[in-house]
Amino acid sequence: STTEAISTTSVARPTYSQTNPGSTAVVPADFNTKIVRISGEPGTAISGLGVNWYNNKGPRYTKMQPWNADESVAQIEHAVSGSGGTVFVDGTTYVPIVAREFWGGTTYGGNFTCPCYFRWHPTLKDWMVIVSDRGNVGWWDPINNIFKLKYTNVAGFTGVRIAADEGTTSRDGDRVLLVGTSGGVQQAFVIGNL
């Protein structure tokens, strides 16, 4: 292995194609690595979704997996102008599938009032674990926008989040570590049997 810096050839920024992002890939000769641009210019329309690209898009946190369990769908966080919502794209072609906006105070699925926190389930490809700050915990299919409530107002906690915003589920997706406030004190707790 080498520990010295390797100089590389300058590469132009890839253009973006909404109908076929892979067609505009750039392949630097130095490493033969394919670079695919998967989001458009800020303020431009996302074809067929009725929203525009935002200027602060990318992964939400380093510990938050962008791909679902079988890598057929990926999420681009903070991608929707105005709300910082999420754009879900095909996990192979990167063509946008659906945009979901998350406005503070808006209720989704009748039980999840934002802010909401969500993570891909590690084994069920269509589902994410979703938690509202009021302590409702359940599952969400973001493509079809279907919600399944599992627990309501968990133990009276408020300000509930998935492990200080950077946590994930257990490997099997059966448990999630949450943080919330009860009696004025922030506490960590685990929800199982998801």
Side-chain angles (χ1 to χ4, degrees):
S1 84
T2 182
T3 56
E4 61 194 59
I6 300 171
S7 56
T8 59
T9 307
S10 180
V11 176
R13 177 179 156 197
T15 57
Y16 175 68
S17 165
Q18 290 200 62
T19 57
N20 187 3
S23 69
T24 60
V26 173
V27 182
D30 300 321
F31 297 104
N32 199 29
T33 302
K34 186 176 186 179
I35 301 170
V36 178
R37 185 167 170 199
I38 63 171
S39 64
E41 294 294 329
T44 60
I46 303 174
S47 181
L49 301 188
V51 294
N52 294 335
W53 287 109
Y54 188 51
N55 64 354
N56 183 25
K57 48 200 165 288
R60 186 169 186 174
Y61 297 104
T62 57
K63 298 176 184 129
M64 192 169 162
Q65 173 61 265
W67 280 274
N68 66 345
D70 71 354
E71 298 184 359
S72 61
V73 177
Q75 63 180 352
I76 306 172
E77 287 288 321
H78 305 294
V80 179
S81 282
S83 70
T86 299
V87 174
F88 293 90
V89 299
D90 182 284
T92 304
T93 67
Y94 306 110
V95 171
I97 301 169
V98 69
R100 299 289 180 216
E101 299 186 63
F102 302 100
W103 296 95
T106 302
T107 300
Y108 296 94
N111 296 295
F112 297 95
T113 301
C114 286
C116 297
Y117 306 90
F118 45 89
R119 303 292 186 270
W120 283 114
H121 191 283
T123 61
L124 302 174
K125 71 179 182 73
D126 296 328
W127 295 98
M128 297 182 105
V129 173
I130 185 170
V131 176
S132 77
D133 72 334
R134 294 184 183 167
N136 292 345
V137 180
W139 291 9
W140 175 40
D141 170 349
I143 304 305
N144 299 301
N145 211 28
I146 297 169
F147 294 84
K148 292 184 179 181
L149 180 65
K150 184 74 175 183
Y151 299 103
T152 304
N153 192 18
V154 178
F157 284 95
T158 60
V160 178
R161 344 187 269 288
I162 297 177
D165 301 334
E166 293 191 19
T168 60
T169 65
S170 58
R171 280 189 213 174
D172 62 3
D174 187 55
R175 293 166 287 145
V176 63
L177 175 66
L178 303 175
V179 174
T181 301
S182 180
V185 177
Q186 190 175 58
Q187 301 174 29
F189 56 101
V190 173
I191 296 294
N193 193 26
L194 288 176

